[in-house]
């Protein structure tokens, strides 16, 4: 019994020392006071990502990793797998690793509140990436998703012409700001033509296989469809697959993100009509640079727009290349 008590004291003391070794500064974080968090040595960044089930997020991670390596920073990565509870736990784990700053791509902008509160308590500033949060971040790095939806909507409206027709909309994630804005921009763009009617499809979480299943049902119930708009190219390509299998080359398809597979399909002048640039490599690079500035106490804008552009049949050839997503450098 005495030996057990001694071992218990030893391991308890060791655990406390281990926790102390990976603790971070408790100076307050947030906009305007990030300089109070003083770091020593190489910059360490924690990156909590919503998922790796979409090509966009895989490339976003790669862009951040390459940028961190170039900057001489250490990047700790955590994949929430679409689970907001896991993401909150991931953020806490990254904090205990002693990161200087956090990059967060939230599963749910509101559901990640607990993780952001933990970061604030630890004095670790947060930079959100791609998906903004209502509060709790020093800066957000993303793109104008409303503008993306609007660019694509204008191109589809032009394609359909005065006759209009039925458009099936395949949505991203429920409650997500990206899905909300891409939908709002598209609806705004086609609203002038009263003969265009949008049929709301299910949330497919930006995953192609889910869009395939959804489109199989949607096509059966909407045989008079004239176009399909999906909140990303991966889902749009899933819808295109179903249309091809059913011999429906008459239905126009559009997405968002500039996935190279979609850009090549557009360049072939087939049913795929348009997408909007959302280069994840450059987004990851910008996010890391912003995180570096925040950790160094520099002033950063609350919202940083990485920019976008329409890709359609007129200019798709300029973007065709060997990358996973179209590069903004082709503009």
């Amino acid at each position: 019994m005495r030996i057990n008590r001694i071992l218990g004291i030893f391991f308890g003391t060791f655990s406390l020392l281990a926790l102390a070794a990976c603790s971070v500064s408790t100076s307050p974080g947030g906009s305007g006071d990030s300089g109070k968090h003083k770091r020593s040595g190489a910059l360490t960044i924690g990156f909590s990502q919503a998922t790796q089930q979409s090509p966009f997020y895989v490339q976003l991670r790669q862009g951040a990793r390459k940028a961190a390596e170039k900057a001489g920073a250490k990047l700790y990565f955590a994949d929430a797998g679409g689970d907001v509870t896991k993401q909150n736990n991931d953020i806490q784990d990254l904090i205990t690793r002693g990161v200087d700053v956090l990059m967060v791509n939230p599963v749910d902008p509101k559901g990640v509140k607990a993780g952001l509160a933990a970061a604030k308590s630890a004095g670790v500033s947060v930079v959100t990436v791609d998906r903004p949060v209502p509060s709790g971040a020093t800066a957000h790095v993303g793109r104008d998703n409303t503008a993306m939806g609007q660019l694509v909507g204008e191109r589809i409206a032009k394609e359909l012409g005065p006759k209009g027709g039925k458009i099936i909309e395949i949505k991203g994630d429920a409650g997500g700001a990206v899905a909300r804005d891409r939908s709002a921009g598209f609806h705004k763009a086609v609203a002038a033509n009263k003969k265009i009617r949008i049929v709301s499809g299910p949330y497919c979480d930006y995953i192609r296989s889910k869009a395939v299943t959804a489109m199989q049902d949607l096509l059966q119930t909407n045989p008079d469809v004239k176009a399909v708009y999906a909140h990303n190219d991966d889902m749009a390509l899933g819808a295109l697959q179903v249309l091809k299998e059913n011999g429906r080359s008459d239905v126009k398809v559009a997405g968002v993100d500039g996935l190279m597979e979609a850009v090549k399909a557009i360049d072939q002048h087939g049913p795929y009509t348009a997408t909007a640039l959302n280069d994840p490599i450059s987004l990851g690079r910008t996010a890391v640079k912003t995180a570096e500035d925040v950790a160094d106490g520099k002033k950063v804008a609350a919202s940083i727009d990485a920019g976008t552009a329409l890709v359609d049949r007129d200019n798709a050839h300029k973007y065709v290349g060997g990358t996973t997503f179209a590069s903004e450098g082709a503009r």
Side-chain angles (χ1 to χ4, degrees):
M1 290 295 290
R2 180 178 175 81
I3 293 174
N4 288 342
R5 286 183 64 192
I6 293 171
L7 286 173
I9 292 169
F10 171 78
F11 285 117
T13 303
F14 180 81
S15 298
L16 288 172
L17 289 171
L19 285 170
C22 64
S23 65
V24 297
S25 168
T26 56
S27 57
S31 183
D33 61 3
S34 55
K36 294 180 182 179
H37 180 81
K38 300 296 183 182
R39 62 184 175 91
S40 59
L43 173 67
T44 58
I45 303 171
F47 189 11
S48 170
Q49 205 165 349
T51 181
Q52 288 284 279
Q53 293 188 52
S54 165
F56 178 84
Y57 292 115
V58 172
Q59 289 295 297
L60 179 61
R61 176 183 180 179
Q62 291 302 315
R65 180 183 60 79
K66 290 177 182 177
E69 287 177 357
K70 188 174 181 180
K74 189 166 187 177
L75 184 72
Y76 293 114
F77 178 81
D79 173 17
D83 184 338
V84 72
T85 300
K86 183 179 183 304
Q87 184 162 49
N88 282 316
N89 290 335
D90 287 345
I91 290 171
Q92 186 64 65
D93 288 343
L94 291 168
I95 292 168
T96 60
R97 281 175 175 259
V99 297
D100 298 301
V101 63
L102 272 167
M103 300 195 317
V104 179
N105 165 231
V107 173
D108 178 346
K110 294 181 180 178
V112 78
K113 185 177 180 180
L116 300 187
K120 182 178 180 180
S121 295
V124 179
S125 295
V126 173
V127 175
T128 52
V129 186
D130 184 52
R131 302 174 180 181
V133 293
S135 62
T138 298
H140 172 68
V141 178
R143 290 188 169 90
D144 189 337
N145 288 286
T146 302
M148 290 181 184
Q150 189 165 349
L151 285 170
V152 173
E154 288 168 354
R155 187 64 183 83
I156 286 294
K158 181 180 179 181
E159 193 75 20
L160 294 180
K163 291 184 179 179
K166 183 185 288 185
I167 301 174
I168 290 174
E169 180 181 11
I170 299 178
K171 297 178 286 187
D173 57 329
V178 171
R180 179 198 66 212
D181 292 348
R182 291 182 181 183
S183 180
F186 187 86
H187 280 248
K188 180 181 179 181
V190 304
N193 188 341
K194 302 304 179 185
K195 293 187 177 180
I196 288 179
R197 185 165 71 89
I198 298 178
V199 175
S200 182
Y203 291 101
C204 293
D205 300 315
Y206 303 103
I207 298 171
R208 187 180 306 201
S209 60
K210 291 186 178 183
V212 167
T213 301
M215 190 62 201
Q216 288 168 342
D217 294 334
L218 288 164
L219 187 58
Q220 292 297 316
T221 55
N222 299 278
D224 57 339
V225 62
K226 298 298 181 185
V228 176
Y229 167 60
H231 291 178
N232 77 342
D233 288 317
D234 211 35
M235 296 190 297
L237 287 162
L240 180 63
Q241 174 187 323
V242 175
L243 291 167
K244 284 182 175 179
E245 290 170 353
N246 286 271
R248 293 298 303 273
S249 59
D250 59 307
V251 180
K252 308 300 179 185
V253 177
V256 177
D257 284 344
L259 185 65
M260 188 55 69
E261 188 180 347
V263 173
K264 289 179 178 178
I266 295 168
D267 191 44
Q268 292 168 2
H269 289 215
Y272 215 112
T273 303
T275 184
L277 288 181
N278 190 21
D279 181 4
I281 296 294
S282 69
L283 188 65
R285 185 166 57 244
T286 302
V288 167
K289 179 61 172 66
T290 303
E292 187 177 11
D293 287 346
V294 167
D296 287 340
K298 296 179 181 178
K299 286 279 188 179
V300 297
S303 181
I304 299 166
D305 184 359
T308 187
L310 178 71
V311 180
D312 62 9
R313 291 166 185 161
D314 295 333
N315 65 2
H317 65 281
K318 297 179 181 179
Y319 294 97
V320 172
T323 55
T324 305
F325 286 82
S327 172
E328 294 174 348
R331 277 193 276 178

